[in-house]
Amino acid sequence: MKQACTEEKIRAAAFKIFQQKGFAGTRTRDIANEAGINPALLNYYYRSKEKLFEIVMKESLGRVFTRLQIVLNESSSSIPEKIDTIVNIYIDLLKENPNIPLFVLSEIQANPEKFKKQIGFSDIRIQEMAALKQAKEFMKNAGLDNIDPFHIVINMISMSIFPFAAKPMIKTLTGKDEQAFEEFIEERRKLIPVWIKSMLGIICFVFFLFTGNIYAQNFLTIDGCQLKARENYPQIKQFGLIEQMKEYKLSNLSKAYLPQLILNGQAAYQSDVVTVPVNIPGVDIPAPDKDQYKATIDLTQTIWDGGSTSSRKKITKASNEVDKQSIEVDLYKIRTQVNQLFFGILTLDEQLIQLDIPDKDLKNSYDVTNAMLQNGTATSSDVDAIHVELLNNEQKRVEIRSLRKACMEMLSALINEKLSGQTTLVKPPEILINPFSAMLRPEINLFGKQRKLFEVQESLITAQNRPKFSLFAQGGYGKPGLNMLSDNFIFFATGGIRLTWNFGNLYTGNNEKKLINIDKNLVNTREEIFIFNTNLQLTQIYNEVLKAKELMEKDDEIITLRNRVKIASESKYENGVYTVNDLIRDIHAESQSRQAKILHEIQYLMNSYNYRTVQGTIEH
């Protein structure tokens, strides 16, 4: 046990010193001092600095790179999911070991091959990784075969690492303290995947821009549309207004401890005044005048208000968070609209492509039937029947194009971007859905923030039941002054400390707390109802996903069989066994089987993305 503990201390100390000084600048004595052991004991456990370096690096960095290898080689997860995972791995590593970036750069520059071997990264074949193959497939589908997808990987890693490598500079330029820098990093943890996914959506345009083809097609991704729709929605402007309101309210509350000055002026006439009902011979006690004049300045300085100001500040901040989260809830609803439009347009695009297949078959049959008509083995009505089907297909094209145009216009309005007829929607990659993942909807955060608001409201009730202390001073000029028997205009002043304790709040305090508890229970009930209904919705969508996947497994087989039947029908028609109506029926049957496959594929993708949206397991 003692040996294991000593070895662990040595490895921890070595990892720390190696990060700070690098391999070349580290001495075994430095490691021994950090571990609090004798250098001879270090040499006993680890024969050389090289051996210790190799063990420590493989154990720490090697473990991280192994995780990365697993993620990059996993073919079941999509590119967006890989992006989220990789960014989290890097940021977790760098938060625990902020010196790693500079250390790795230093060691790679000194001896790249040796360092790669020491951390166990020498046998990795990047080009054979599933992630890179998926990225290449994406680029190929977008018509960008000439762009190396490794650019995306490098961008993602550099965006994660740079803030840690440049931490001193960032803190100096921005004035951030350690806590603010931590919050900055956590914010980047959410933003980097969004930026990378958006980059995938616009990289096609950048490629065409730099190759000189300015009028080439524009490409849109589902994640890019979601981001643009959120940024364009008018309600997002309320974030800035709500933040301004919070700052003004907090500023006003902060002034509660500033001295309060009140100027008063008064002129009065009394019907009677105080007199001394005693007659003293030889002494004349004058009575005060019935007209009185007074001008005063009252100064009040709060010493302690029982915590009321502090509680009100907390309420303002909590209320601000509730308002902002309510907007997040409203903005989140846009995702469903974007999903419906995006996948609806994809379905229409696929239908237009698939219409070309029966058209080709019908045109071939039209030519054959015309030849048969010339030979007297077909009638003109047979030619007309096929011609009618060709016209029907053209009508379907008109309907689909018109519907696509309407959907594109609605999508254009949502994302505030002009979409031309050349705009292509990139079919999103398949994603895995996890029915056991936690629900991360913004509504859940809203319920939590509402409960937090009620808690701070409860603290205000307690604060209002406490005594309040303040200093006061009054200076004035008038007749009479503090001496009520004087008829002269004089200056006067008074001051002291004041205690104020409103016991009336004690009568209502318990009921007010009970009302707050009722509000909490109402929020809890609404949350339970929301979770219950959302889980029902998730169950329904999940079953739709499973159904679409099961149908997709049979689609290819059905299309193959329908194609065989169609080919046989064409032969039978040419040999006079089938009528033209039989041939048209089988051509339609094959076309419908292809349409069914398209519908099932898009339904599978749409339900998968809808599941992710309803579950809340996305960036928002």
Side-chain angles (χ1 to χ4, degrees):
M1 178 69 74
K2 184 177 180 182
Q3 178 179 347
C5 182
T6 303
E7 289 184 0
E8 188 175 330
K9 284 169 62 178
I10 293 172
R11 289 197 300 271
F15 186 56
K16 180 178 178 181
I17 300 299
F18 280 138
Q19 282 190 73
Q20 293 174 352
K21 299 184 177 182
F23 176 77
T26 298
R27 299 178 303 167
T28 53
R29 183 174 296 277
D30 298 330
I31 299 172
N33 291 339
E34 179 68 26
I37 62 171
N38 190 290
L41 189 60
L42 187 147
N43 291 327
Y44 170 76
Y45 285 113
Y46 302 97
R47 298 299 179 188
S48 65
K49 183 175 74 170
E50 288 80 4
K51 185 68 175 176
L52 179 57
F53 181 83
E54 184 174 342
I55 291 172
V56 170
M57 289 302 105
K58 277 188 177 180
E59 187 179 278
S60 52
L61 291 181
R63 186 166 57 247
V64 174
F65 285 124
T66 300
R67 284 183 64 198
L68 286 171
Q69 275 187 265
I70 293 171
V71 174
L72 293 171
N73 278 318
E74 186 184 17
S75 58
S76 60
S77 61
S78 65
I79 288 290
E81 289 173 318
K82 283 184 171 66
I83 290 171
D84 293 337
T85 305
I86 291 170
V87 170
N88 281 326
I89 289 174
Y90 267 103
I91 288 182
D92 287 342
L93 167 68
L94 296 169
K95 285 186 71 175
E96 291 178 12
N97 309 285
N99 294 323
I100 282 284
L102 297 178
F103 163 73
V104 171
L105 288 174
S106 174
E107 294 302 317
I108 287 177
Q109 285 180 339
N111 195 332
E113 290 303 320
K114 182 180 178 181
F115 181 75
K116 188 167 69 170
K117 184 178 180 182
Q118 285 170 328
I119 64 172
F121 207 65
S122 56
D123 297 327
I124 297 175
R125 294 185 176 91
I126 294 177
Q127 296 298 329
E128 296 179 8
M129 288 182 170
L132 212 61
K133 291 179 181 178
Q134 287 176 314
K136 285 180 179 178
E137 184 66 24
F138 172 84
M139 305 298 271
K140 182 180 178 181
N141 291 337
L144 304 175
D145 305 52
N146 296 329
I147 291 185
D148 188 350
F150 201 61
H151 286 300
I152 299 169
V153 179
I154 294 298
N155 283 340
M156 183 167 49
I157 295 174
S158 60
M159 290 169 78
S160 301
I161 290 177
F162 178 77
F164 291 92
K167 181 178 178 180
M169 180 185 73
I170 292 173
K171 290 177 70 174
T172 301
L173 291 176
T174 61
K176 294 182 183 295
D177 57 17
E178 191 62 32
Q179 183 180 353
F181 183 80
E182 288 286 327
E183 294 172 355
F184 174 71
I185 292 300
E186 287 303 317
E187 189 176 12
R188 285 185 67 82
R189 186 196 292 269
K190 298 177 182 177
L191 290 174
I192 291 171
V194 175
W195 290 334
I196 295 296
K197 292 171 190 177
S198 299
M199 191 184 303
L200 290 174
I202 66 172
I203 193 171
C204 307
F205 171 75
V206 175
F207 171 77
F208 287 120
L209 185 65
F210 279 95
T211 54
N213 191 356
I214 303 297
Y215 301 101
Q217 288 179 312
N218 293 321
F219 291 83
L220 283 176
T221 64
I222 181 71
D223 289 325
C225 287
Q226 296 285 12
L227 186 62
K228 291 176 182 178
R230 173 187 167 85
E231 292 174 349
N232 177 57
Y233 202 66
Q235 199 168 7
I236 202 169
K237 298 175 184 176
Q238 292 185 21
F239 279 117
L241 298 174
I242 290 173
E243 197 62 27
Q244 287 180 29
M245 288 173 62
K246 182 191 80 171
E247 294 302 325
Y248 288 139
K249 288 179 180 178
L250 289 176
S251 177
N252 286 340
L253 288 170
S254 298
K255 293 178 173 61
Y257 275 87
L258 293 177
Q260 306 295 314
L261 283 173
I262 301 175
L263 176 64
N264 295 304
Q266 178 178 315
Y269 180 84
Q270 298 181 190
S271 61
D272 201 0
V273 293
V274 177
T275 58
V276 179
V278 178
N279 292 321
I280 302 175
V283 177
D284 184 18
I285 302 176
D289 291 340
K290 292 184 178 181
D291 57 323
Q292 298 181 1
Y293 307 92
K294 185 187 295 184
T296 61
I297 294 178
D298 294 308
L299 174 65
T300 304
Q301 173 63 60
T302 300
I303 300 175
W304 187 60
D305 65 355
S308 294
T309 299
S310 175
S311 295
R312 286 191 172 91
K313 284 184 177 180
K314 291 178 182 177
I315 289 174
T316 298
K317 292 177 181 177
S319 179
N320 174 265
E321 290 299 317
V322 169
D323 291 341
K324 289 197 293 186
Q325 194 60 34
S326 297
I327 296 173
E328 287 287 357
V329 170
D330 291 337
L331 289 173
Y332 197 80
K333 296 173 183 176
I334 306 170
R335 303 191 71 88
T336 303
Q337 298 179 44
V338 173
N339 281 352
Q340 290 174 345
L341 286 171
F342 193 92
F343 287 105
I345 294 169
L346 283 180
T347 303
L348 296 173
D349 288 341
E350 292 290 345
Q351 286 177 350
L352 283 172
I353 294 170
Q354 292 302 321
L355 273 178
D356 291 337
I357 297 173
D359 257 12
K360 182 180 178 182
D361 294 331
L362 287 169
K363 286 175 182 175
N364 288 336
S365 299
Y366 184 80
D367 293 338
V368 169
T369 305
N370 261 326
M372 292 171 66
L373 179 63
Q374 298 297 324
N375 295 327
T377 55
T379 63
S380 58
S381 61
D382 292 337
V383 176
D384 292 340
I386 297 175
H387 191 199
V388 166
E389 291 305 317
L390 285 169
L391 292 175
N392 284 338
N393 277 357
E394 192 57 40
Q395 281 186 333
K396 288 178 184 177
R397 276 195 186 84
V398 172
E399 290 175 357
I400 292 173
R401 284 171 183 155
S402 175
L403 184 56
R404 185 186 190 277
K405 182 173 180 290
C407 290
M408 287 292 282
E409 287 175 355
M410 286 188 283
L411 183 61
S412 173
L414 269 178
I415 66 175
N416 193 29
E417 183 176 312
K418 188 174 182 180
L419 304 178
S420 67
Q422 298 298 315
T423 302
T424 299
L425 272 59
V426 179
K427 190 176 179 180
E430 181 180 341
I431 59 172
L432 291 178
I433 58 176
N434 184 2
F436 303 105
S437 293
M439 193 182 299
L440 301 175
R441 287 283 292 273
E443 289 88 347
I444 302 296
N445 287 335
L446 176 61
F447 295 133
K449 291 179 187 298
Q450 286 174 337
R451 281 191 290 268
K452 179 68 176 176
L453 175 60
F454 293 139
E455 288 172 8
V456 293
Q457 285 176 344
E458 205 166 3
S459 70
L460 178 61
I461 295 172
T462 303
Q464 288 174 336
N465 291 333
R466 294 177 184 145
K468 298 172 178 57
F469 297 93
S470 62
L471 297 174
F472 71 92
Q474 184 185 69
Y477 180 75
K479 184 191 77 169
L482 297 179
N483 182 1
M484 295 297 295
L485 299 178
S486 173
D487 288 335
N488 299 321
F489 281 89
I490 59 172
F491 288 98
F492 57 89
T494 184
I497 186 168
R498 180 182 291 123
L499 165 67
T500 305
W501 198 339
N502 184 359
F503 292 102
N505 292 327
L506 297 174
Y507 304 142
T508 59
N510 285 334
N511 284 340
E512 288 176 353
K513 287 183 179 180
K514 288 177 182 178
L515 287 172
I516 288 176
N517 283 329
I518 291 173
D519 287 334
K520 285 183 182 178
N521 291 332
L522 287 173
V523 169
N524 292 337
T525 302
R526 285 198 292 268
E527 184 178 30
E528 289 176 10
I529 293 171
F530 173 78
I531 292 174
F532 179 81
N533 289 334
T534 304
N535 281 330
L536 286 179
Q537 191 178 0
L538 287 172
T539 301
Q540 180 185 359
I541 298 173
Y542 187 66
N543 286 324
E544 290 295 323
V545 170
L546 295 178
K547 182 183 78 173
K549 193 168 187 177
E550 190 174 346
L551 291 172
M552 285 164 56
E553 292 172 357
K554 301 293 182 182
D555 280 331
D556 288 331
E557 185 179 356
I558 292 172
I559 290 172
T560 300
L561 294 173
R562 285 292 183 189
N563 188 52
R564 288 180 190 171
V565 171
K566 182 198 70 176
I567 293 171
S569 297
E570 290 173 343
S571 177
K572 289 177 181 179
Y573 174 69
E574 291 174 10
N575 292 319
V577 178
Y578 260 23
T579 65
V580 69
N581 289 328
D582 295 328
L583 175 62
I584 291 172
R585 180 198 63 207
D586 290 338
I587 290 174
H588 274 311
E590 193 220 16
S591 175
Q592 287 171 356
S593 66
R594 293 181 184 277
Q595 295 284 349
K597 180 185 177 182
I598 296 166
L599 184 62
H600 297 154
E601 288 177 350
I602 301 297
Q603 282 179 341
Y604 174 74
L605 280 175
M606 182 175 67
N607 285 321
S608 297
Y609 277 80
N610 282 342
Y611 190 94
R612 188 180 71 166
T613 300
V614 173
Q615 195 178 42
T617 51
I618 49 179
E619 307 76 16
H620 50 82

